[in-house]
């Protein structure tokens, strides 16, 4: 059970991964937004605290400077030297925001605020004059911002923000796992059921197929021949399902036993095997096979071909056609069947994914194909158009 | 030739403008103990910016009254409200413009 569980856990379905990804993306985005918002409030609060600590001092400076401006105003133009102070730089602007005189470095004054930090890290304090000495309504004091509060604020934001991100991510994973648990449990249950039933299928299925082979077809009536054929088709369908289930639950972990497989003869033999199934729907095979080899485990490659042929028959229309093209490094199986909607194509490889309930099956065939394709670094491409058919091509 | 013409025009205009200020302001204020520059500073302290000062002066010349004057009450009690508006808007505007340009603080501080 433990082994089965870990196996299933490792092979998360694409839909499960997608759900997890969507949830985590949404969760992390929300969490990041909250953290950014809190950080912004914290930063602004730190800035306000810093302003508060400097405000009294700057108000005193402004008071002194205004007194000096008054003296200068009264003695102007006999004295025209603007009062300077080593503790700050200052400027005066009239009520039309026209500069009268300035010693400050930044000319970009924000008259809407009484205190702010400029882009070049200077603190500006704006004091409004009620008597316009020298025509000035605004006195701007400028002192350098040492940036210490900013460093502390950023440090705290990074430390506490980082801790919060880690904490929330852990919680997020925990919540996501809680959400996915029911889905995972049902997959495990299905896996267990398949594994248990597969063991019980082998003996009766082998007996049916062997006995059909042994029946002397010449000695029975045409009516009975048809019945036997139907039994044969049904048994082969079950056999195909059995092969898939066995591969899925038992064989996919087996060690590689790769060999140089001759594709043409293998495909011809598999087509022959599926011929009776195809004939039951009046489906014709059209083969265009070149000599081609592939270095692969024969049983695995057979599973790929069988699943492609089985799907091409299963989802084909009555009196349809299946084209099989074999090139040097490519196998193409196309049918004239019901097709799949483009939006559903990315999900056809999901285990238990089925898009048509009219046909039987567990929805595991293409999942197996994908696994084998990925194991041997091959490429698979599916093109489909509803009501026109599907083209599956494999390159190696 | 064109340059000479423009230069002459500018000189003539400037002479005409100076006349407006000298003729209407300087002559009469010469007898007062407080200079026109000091009065200007009073206006500046009361009205602030260029446009405000000009509008303030213009308004005062049109509607002179003790309660809107920027001068101290002692001065007004002694010399009274002076009225010299001759109903010539253009000349008044020119005189005020010259007054501003002559005594404005902008560009004079060091």
């Amino acid at each position: 059970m433990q082994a089965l569980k870990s196996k299933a856990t490792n092979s998360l379905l694409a839909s499960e991964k997608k759900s997890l990804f969507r949830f985590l993306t949404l969760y992390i985005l929300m969490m990041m937004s909250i953290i950014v918002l809190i950080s912004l409030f914290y930063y602004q609060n730190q800035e306000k605290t810093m302003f508060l600590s400097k405000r009294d001092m700057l108000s005193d400076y402004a008071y002194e400077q205004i007194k000096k401006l008054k003296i200068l105003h009264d003695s102007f133009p006999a004295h025209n030297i603007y009062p300077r102070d080593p503790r700050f730089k200052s400027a005066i602007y009239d009520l039309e925001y026209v500069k009268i005189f300035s010693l400050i470095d930044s000319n970009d004054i924000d008259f809407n605020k009484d205190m702010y930090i400029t882009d070049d890290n200077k603190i500006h304090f704006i004091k409004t004059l009620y008597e316009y000495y020298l025509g000035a309504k605004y006195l701007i004091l400028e002192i350098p911002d040492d940036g210490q509060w900013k460093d502390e604020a950023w440090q705290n934001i990074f430390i506490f923000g980082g801790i919060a991100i880690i904490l929330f991510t852990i919680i997020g994973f925990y919540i996501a796992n809680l959400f996915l648990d029911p889905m995972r449990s049902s997959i495990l249950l299905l896996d267990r059921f398949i594994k248990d039933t597969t063991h019980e299928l082998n003996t009766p299925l082998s007996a049916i197929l062997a006995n059909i082979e042994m029946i002397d077809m010449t000695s029975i009536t045409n009516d009975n021949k048809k019945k036997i054929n139907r039994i044969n088709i049904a048994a082969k369908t079950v056999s195909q399902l059995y092969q898939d289930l066995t591969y899925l639950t038992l064989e996919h972990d087996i060690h590689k036993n790769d060999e140089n497989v001759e594709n043409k003869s293998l495909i011809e033999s598999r087509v022959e095997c599926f011929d009776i199934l195809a004939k039951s729907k009046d489906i014709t095979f059209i083969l265009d096979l070149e000599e081609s080899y592939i270095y692969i485990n024969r049983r695995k490659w057979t599973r790929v071909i069988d699943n492609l042929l089985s799907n091409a028959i299963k989802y084909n229309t009555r009196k349809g056609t299946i084209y099989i093209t074999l090139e040097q490094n490519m196998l193409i199986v196309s049918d004239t069947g019901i097709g799949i909607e483009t939006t559903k194509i990315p999900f056809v490889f999901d285990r238990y994914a089925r898009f048509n309930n009219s046909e039987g099956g567990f929805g595991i065939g293409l999942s197996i194909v994908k696994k084998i394709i990925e194991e041997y670094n091959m490429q698979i491409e599916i093109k489909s158009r509803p009501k026109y058919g599907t083209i599956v091509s494999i390159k190696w | 030739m064109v340059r000479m013409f423009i230069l002459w025009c500018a000189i003539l205009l400037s002479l005409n403008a100076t006349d407006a200020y000298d003729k209407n302001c300087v002559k009469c204020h010469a007898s007062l103990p407080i200079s026109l520059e000091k009065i200007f500073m009073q206006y500046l302290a009361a009205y602030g910016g260029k446009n405000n000062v000009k509008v303030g002066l213009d308004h005062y010349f049109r509607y002179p009254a003790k309660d809107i004057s920027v001068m101290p009450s002692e001065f007004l009690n002694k010399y009274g409200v002076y009225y010299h508006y001759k109903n010539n808007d253009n000349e008044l505007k020119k005189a005020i413009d010259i007054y501003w340009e002559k005594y404005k603080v902008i560009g004079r501080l060091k």
Side-chain angles (χ1 to χ4, degrees), chain A residues 141-195:
Chain A
L141 300 188
E142 184 185 84
I143 54 167
D145 175 22
D146 57 13
Q148 200 184 332
W149 69 273
K150 212 181 274 181
D151 293 342
E152 276 174 26
W154 279 116
Q155 197 178 331
N156 288 338
I157 286 169
F158 278 119
I159 292 171
F160 292 108
I163 291 169
I165 287 171
I166 294 166
L167 207 70
F168 280 121
T169 310
I170 292 167
I171 294 169
F173 266 109
Y174 178 73
I175 294 170
N177 273 320
L178 276 185
F179 287 153
L180 291 174
D181 236 18
M183 196 201 283
R184 200 173 287 143
S185 298
S186 33
I187 292 167
L188 279 175
L189 199 72
L190 199 55
D191 272 356
R192 266 185 72 188
F193 169 75
I194 290 169
K195 194 178 182 188

Side-chain angles (χ1 to χ4, degrees), chain A residues 235-248:
Chain A
K236 279 191 172 168
T237 309
V238 178
S239 171
Q240 164 73 12
L241 185 61
Y242 169 77
Q243 299 284 346
D244 280 347
L245 292 175
T246 313
Y247 176 83
L248 198 69

Side-chain angles (χ1 to χ4, degrees), chain A residues 73-74 80 82 84 96 132, chain B residues 38 41 45 48 51 108 110:
Chain A
H73 179 92
D74 292 339
N80 65 345
Y82 183 83
R84 280 142 171 97
E96 289 150 16
Y132 309 139
Chain B
K38 284 289 166 197
M41 293 307 282
N51 293 326
R108 294 171 71 195
K110 288 175 184 171

Side-chain angles (χ1 to χ4, degrees), chain A residues 271 274-275 278 283-287 309 313 320-324:
Chain A
V271 167
F274 277 92
D275 193 46
I283 292 168
T284 318
F285 279 106
I286 296 177
L287 306 183
L309 295 181
I313 295 168
T321 311
I322 296 169
Y323 301 92
I324 303 172

Side-chain angles (χ1 to χ4, degrees), chain A residues 72-77 80-82 84 92 94-96 98-101 131-135, chain B residues 37-38 41-42 44-53 100 103-110:
Chain A
L72 181 64
H73 179 92
D74 292 339
S75 61
F76 190 82
N80 65 345
I81 307 296
Y82 183 83
R84 280 142 171 97
I92 47 174
D94 70 14
L95 52 73
E96 289 150 16
V98 176
K99 184 170 73 182
I100 299 167
F101 187 78
E131 280 231 38
Y132 309 139
Y133 302 127
L134 300 165
Chain B
E37 181 149 29
K38 284 289 166 197
M41 293 307 282
Q42 294 279 17
L44 195 60
Y47 290 102
K50 177 184 177 182
N51 293 326
N52 242 23
V53 169
W100 170 264
Y103 297 117
K104 67 178 180 184
V105 174
I106 297 168
R108 294 171 71 195
L109 286 169
K110 288 175 184 171

Side-chain angles (χ1 to χ4, degrees), chain B residues 42-108:
Chain B
Q42 294 279 17
Y43 268 97
L44 195 60
Y47 290 102
K50 177 184 177 182
N51 293 326
N52 242 23
V53 169
K54 286 183 177 178
V55 169
L57 281 165
D58 186 88
H59 181 78
Y60 185 77
F61 285 128
R62 288 172 199 275
Y63 312 102
K66 262 188 182 181
D67 54 336
I68 60 162
S69 173
V70 297
M71 299 307 287
S73 54
E74 295 82 19
F75 178 87
L76 291 169
N77 288 336
K78 196 171 178 183
Y79 298 102
V81 175
Y82 196 71
Y83 177 71
H84 197 71
Y85 179 52
K86 290 175 180 170
N87 218 8
N88 188 337
D89 287 354
N90 195 33
E91 203 156 313
L92 176 64
K93 191 181 171 301
K94 275 179 192 167
I96 290 171
D97 286 348
I98 295 163
Y99 191 39
W100 170 264
E101 289 302 323
K102 199 170 176 64
Y103 297 117
K104 67 178 180 184
V105 174
I106 297 168
R108 294 171 71 195

